[in-house]
Amino acid sequence: MSGDNSHSPPGTATPDTVSRILRTALDLFSSQGFDAVSMNAVAAAAGVSKANIFHHFRSKHELYIQALREACRESREELEALNMEDGPIGEQLADFAVKHLTSMLDNARDTRLILREVLENAPGRAEELARDVFRDGFERLVETVRLGQRLGELDPDLPPGFIAVMMLAANVFFAQSREVLRHLPGVDFADDPKRYSRMYMQVLLRGAGPAAT
Amino acid sequence: MSGDNSHSPPGTATPDTVSRILRTALDLFSSQGFDAVSMNAVAAAAGVSKANIFHHFRSKHELYIQALREACRESREELEALNMEDGPIGEQLADFAVKHLTSMLDNARDTRLILREVLENAPGRAEELARDVFRDGFERLVETVRLGQRLGELDPDLPPGFIAVMMLAANVFFAQSREVLRHLPGVDFADDPKRYSRMYMQVLLRGAGPAAT
DNA sequence: TGACTGACTGACCGGACGGTCAGTATTCTG
DNA sequence: CAGAATACTGACCGTCCGGTCAGTCAGTCA
């Protein structure tokens, strides 16, 4: 009933209509949200008839899901391409932090769509997002932290995922609140993500360093 | 043309219909978003006729704006009620952190509505949100940090707003990503906000302490 | 050639939407 | 008491929505 995911079957031409529809939908959904985007709008923007979209996608919801998956795939690939530099754990983490933040800001469209999904957090969606989008990258990050703990560069008493979460929190918050931050007093780094990530990594690494006192 | 904000004018009874509509709208908008909530739904849930809502509010958009303002007002009051305990700056900040996080989680409805607004980030809205909702509380927080810097408890080389932003980032990220975090490996604190805030404040204060080395 | 398939379209459908309006009930004002 | 004002309602309007459908067209295969 629901088997094949493969479009563009053997026979006919099918230039790239499906992927054009998908990209258009991704653009519109990410900038306006599900409800605010009509199938007519997608059709017009993609240069196809509305009926044609329904020929390729069973419903608006399925189109949205496919667009979301596409965004997740791109985001995941972006994450996987971030191989950390060699060197001390601290530098590896700092390297990841700045690259991850840059990647989020560069791919604002995908980021926005995914963040909205996290925020709306439909019943069972959270686990799916965790598994399909975040888990792998997060696990790599956590492994690096664990290594740092084993090597004595980081406090072994902190939960392994904790530092990872702090880094993500700093990045996600920056990406989504930038415009607001810019108008708050005492904030002079809203336009300088690299400086921001350098600062918080410095604080984080010093704060989570091996117990000293 | 747009002057009066005051409902419940001199003349008639007006028990509390307006505020009941407003509360209902706030509930629905925060849990489903603007587009997904119909005026019929608000009317039914509030136990009034749809036409009556349009008698009190000029349009759906104005109803949403008023509900948003209400959420902002509640959120701001909640923030203002958080007077930090006396004691060392570090303890004051830690006290604020845990209270702020608790407040966000307790008032999940208001939080959600406001966060969505931040994420969608309509053209000129960011500045308005910064000014009307966040500025005062943020400024108090920044002042406390500045005091800590002057007293030598915090590194004076960090931008004053930076530590405040880190605290907010940690709290906001936790509040909005909790469900996802719960399903990530190495995260065992998703159900324990107090422990979480204690941990990050420990790391933050140590990491942003006066330059030592 | 002719049967068949899948991409694609314009016209259309029922329904829900935001919003309006004429009219009624109630209550304050003179 | 008349009358002005406001709270409130049911019925209604035009529009747009997601989705359907009959049908056209181009290419494949026997």
Side-chain angles (χ1 to χ4, degrees), chain A residues 82-192:
Chain A
L82 292 191
N83 44 8
M84 312 185 206
E85 285 176 358
D86 287 344
I89 299 295
E91 278 178 32
Q92 288 187 36
L93 293 177
D95 182 56
F96 173 89
V98 65
K99 281 182 182 165
H100 178 242
L101 182 53
T102 304
S103 153
M104 283 186 89
L105 295 175
D106 286 349
N107 305 350
R109 290 252 149 95
D110 295 350
T111 302
R112 184 110 81 109
L113 197 64
I114 296 172
L115 278 186
R116 188 152 36 209
E117 204 64 20
V118 170
L119 184 61
E120 299 309 336
N121 141 45
R125 198 56 95 6
E127 187 177 356
E128 198 180 331
L129 282 169
R131 184 175 2 99
D132 297 346
V133 191
F134 305 118
R135 187 165 206 120
D136 287 2
F138 188 80
E139 205 149 25
R140 272 201 306 152
L141 193 52
V142 167
E143 274 315 310
T144 308
V145 170
R146 253 196 264 260
L147 182 59
Q149 290 178 316
R150 236 176 289 130
L151 293 178
E153 293 190 40
L154 294 173
D155 183 353
D157 288 339
L158 291 168
F162 174 73
I163 295 172
V165 165
M166 289 298 297
M167 291 169 62
L168 292 184
N171 279 355
V172 169
F173 185 75
F174 185 87
Q176 82 182 0
S177 309
R178 219 177 164 187
E179 291 304 319
V180 174
L181 288 182
R182 191 171 283 133
H183 296 99
L184 289 177
V187 177
D188 60 353
F189 46 84
D191 290 307
D192 194 345

Side-chain angles (χ1 to χ4, degrees), chain B residues 16-89:
Chain B
D16 53 351
T17 314
V18 172
S19 69
R20 198 171 69 251
I21 293 173
L22 212 45
R23 265 204 316 277
T24 306
L26 176 49
D27 276 3
L28 294 179
F29 282 139
S30 72
S31 63
Q32 305 174 235
F34 181 83
D35 292 298
V37 173
S38 73
M39 294 302 266
N40 280 305
V42 178
V48 299
S49 69
K50 184 173 64 164
N52 192 17
I53 301 183
F54 280 99
H55 174 68
H56 292 291
F57 302 89
R58 224 167 306 176
S59 65
K60 183 185 182 185
H61 183 253
E62 189 194 299
L63 175 61
Y64 175 78
I65 293 294
Q66 299 272 15
L68 179 61
R69 276 194 214 284
E70 174 65 14
C72 291
R73 198 185 54 77
E74 286 178 22
S75 174
R76 198 183 339 113
E77 283 180 1
E78 194 83 14
L79 254 285
E80 280 165 7
L82 292 192
N83 43 7
M84 313 184 204
E85 285 175 359
D86 287 342
I89 299 296

Side-chain angles (χ1 to χ4, degrees), chain B residues 84-97 144-145 147-149 151 153-154 167 197 201-202 204-206:
Chain B
M84 313 184 204
E85 285 175 359
D86 287 342
I89 299 296
E91 279 178 30
Q92 288 187 37
L93 292 177
D95 181 56
F96 173 89
T144 307
V145 171
L147 182 59
Q149 290 178 316
L151 293 179
E153 293 190 41
L154 295 172
M167 291 170 62
S197 75
M201 280 312 297
Q202 170 198 316
L204 239 50
L205 289 174
R206 196 150 87 95

Side-chain angles (χ1 to χ4, degrees), chain A residues 35 112 116 118 120 127 130 135 138 159 161-162 166 169 173 176 183 185-186 188 195 199-200 203 206-207 209-210, chain B residues 35 112 116 118 120 127 135 138 159 161-162 166 169 173 176 183 185-186 188 195 199-200 203 206-207 209-210:
Chain A
D35 291 298
R112 184 110 81 109
R116 188 152 36 209
V118 170
E120 299 309 336
E127 187 177 356
R135 187 165 206 120
F138 188 80
F162 174 73
M166 289 298 297
F173 185 75
Q176 82 182 0
H183 296 99
D188 60 353
R195 178 166 161 245
M199 282 195 297
Y200 79 71
V203 168
R206 195 152 85 96
Chain B
D35 292 298
R112 184 109 80 107
R116 187 152 36 208
V118 170
E120 299 310 335
E127 187 178 357
R135 187 164 206 120
F138 188 80
F162 174 73
M166 289 299 298
F173 185 74
Q176 83 183 3
H183 297 98
D188 60 354
R195 178 166 162 246
M199 282 195 298
Y200 79 70
V203 168
R206 196 150 87 95

Side-chain angles (χ1 to χ4, degrees), chain B residues 97-153:
Chain B
V98 65
K99 280 180 181 167
H100 178 242
L101 182 52
T102 305
S103 153
M104 283 187 89
L105 296 175
D106 286 349
N107 305 349
R109 290 253 150 94
D110 294 351
T111 302
R112 184 109 80 107
L113 197 64
I114 296 171
L115 278 186
R116 187 152 36 208
E117 204 64 20
V118 170
L119 184 61
E120 299 310 335
N121 145 42
R125 199 55 98 2
E127 187 178 357
E128 199 181 330
L129 282 170
R131 184 175 1 99
D132 297 346
V133 191
F134 305 118
R135 187 164 206 120
D136 287 1
F138 188 80
E139 205 148 26
R140 272 202 305 153
L141 193 52
V142 168
E143 274 315 310
T144 307
V145 171
R146 252 196 264 260
L147 182 59
Q149 290 178 316
R150 238 176 288 129
L151 293 179
E153 293 190 41

